[in-house]
Amino acid sequence: MDKVTFSVFSKPWGELSIRALGQLIREFGFDGVELPVRPGFQVEPERIRIDLPNASKTLRNEGVEITSIAGPVTEDAFEACAEAGIPTIRVMYRVNEDGYIASEAAARRELDALTPFCERYGVKVGVQNHCDFFVQPNSLGLRSLLEDYDPRYIGAIWDAAHTALDGEEPEMGLDIVWSHLCMVNLKNAYWRRTNGPEAEEVEWSVYWTSGRQGLASWPRIAEYLKNRSYSGVICLTAEYSDTQEVNRLTKEDIAWAKELFGVG
């Protein structure tokens, strides 16, 4: 198996300085970070041209690379990513009031418009699957959206938890999106009933849990990726319903993920 890079979505630590964030992530054992570029975080959209390259330099000095951002897809964002050496911008597309087919067509129009930026700046748009009301709720939806695009520019970010919540087998899902796969999100969850058996209508919610406890089999995912010599980013998203235990659970999950992939 070729080298994988372990990254983490830094949304839970938006209050930290960039330097403190880098130190924390490195202490956890990650190689990189997916940085949210959103209001209230270390880099905000209106200052992306200045602050993102500076953040990248600061984190690199702490031994951490920005492997991707979750943020805007403006030309400023592409230019800032290119300057900072950040390869991927992660996006998702919701289903709007016009329904799935119209929303998928709108997503394609946006990807068509973004492809020239990808070519010009050498930065990829990575589209993540997401269960519920999203254009790409599972691997088949993601492939349907992306299959006509050049994977050098438009890639698939396969999310283990969301495919599992939708009932997919991981080997099938990864095979479906393999031609465009640019990143794997490792997280875990399960459906939990939120009302009692006497209710007239059953209600369920998603409970975000540690890697060992949810519907997605991290060992099967790791085995499949190793067998196909996956080389790329594995991003742990640090999403847990028990928000008071984020640091502990993140450290436990990255240690287990490295064990599964045979990384010391």
Side-chain angles (χ1 to χ4, degrees):
M1 180 180 180
D2 294 327
K3 186 178 185 299
V4 295
T5 298
F6 288 99
S7 182
V8 63
F9 186 34
S10 63
K11 182 180 176 181
W13 307 286
E15 79 284 356
L16 297 180
S17 71
I18 284 290
R19 178 166 282 105
L21 176 65
Q23 292 169 348
L24 179 71
I25 287 171
R26 195 64 188 167
E27 176 188 327
F28 284 167
F30 291 96
D31 310 301
V33 60
E34 177 174 272
L35 201 67
V37 178
R38 298 170 181 172
F41 286 87
Q42 291 93 344
V43 176
E44 300 196 355
E46 64 271 16
R47 290 186 53 85
I48 192 170
R49 279 288 295 108
I50 297 171
D51 289 351
L52 187 60
N54 289 339
S56 178
K57 291 175 185 176
T58 300
L59 287 169
R60 194 168 286 130
N61 287 338
E62 300 297 333
V64 174
E65 294 291 328
I66 302 179
T67 57
S68 54
I69 66 166
V73 284
T74 60
E75 185 167 9
D76 277 352
F78 280 90
E79 189 172 354
C81 283
E83 182 179 341
I86 300 166
T88 305
I89 302 174
R90 178 172 65 88
V91 301
M92 297 180 291
Y93 293 105
R94 291 184 179 272
V95 173
N96 59 38
E97 60 186 14
D98 294 332
Y100 189 95
I101 299 301
S103 301
E104 185 182 54
R108 285 201 180 97
R109 287 194 294 272
E110 176 166 298
L111 292 173
D112 290 343
L114 294 177
T115 298
F117 291 155
C118 298
E119 295 172 341
R120 184 178 312 155
Y121 294 105
V123 175
K124 183 177 296 189
V125 171
V127 184
Q128 182 206 314
N129 64 285
H130 194 297
C131 69
D132 300 322
F133 291 97
F134 282 78
V135 169
Q136 59 291 346
N138 51 38
S139 299
L140 280 173
L142 193 54
R143 180 181 176 89
S144 174
L145 178 63
L146 302 183
E147 61 186 345
D148 292 333
Y149 292 98
D150 189 330
R152 291 178 299 171
Y153 306 128
I154 308 294
I157 297 176
W158 187 84
D159 189 289
H162 285 292
T163 58
L165 289 167
D166 254 13
E168 278 191 7
E169 301 294 345
E171 298 87 353
M172 290 173 56
L174 283 163
D175 187 44
I176 287 167
V177 302
W178 190 262
S179 63
H180 285 68
L181 186 64
C182 67
M183 187 187 305
V184 173
N185 279 357
L186 275 189
K187 59 186 177 187
N188 225 330
Y190 58 88
W191 293 105
R192 185 168 69 171
R193 185 166 180 164
T194 56
N195 59 359
E198 70 283 352
E200 292 184 2
E201 185 176 351
V202 65
E203 295 178 358
W204 301 89
S205 67
V206 173
Y207 189 87
W208 300 102
T209 187
S210 63
R212 296 178 186 269
Q213 303 302 324
L215 292 168
S217 172
W218 285 21
R220 286 170 61 186
I221 293 164
E223 189 66 19
Y224 185 88
L225 293 172
K226 288 189 293 184
N227 286 341
R228 292 196 67 166
S229 298
Y230 173 75
S231 176
V233 175
I234 304 287
C235 184
L236 278 63
T237 61
E239 186 171 358
Y240 305 102
S241 292
D242 187 351
T243 56
Q244 301 304 309
E245 296 293 334
V246 168
N247 283 14
R248 176 180 68 83
L249 294 171
T250 300
K251 286 191 283 188
E252 291 176 1
D253 275 352
I254 182 57
W256 192 44
K258 285 187 168 183
E259 179 184 333
L260 292 172
F261 282 89
V263 176

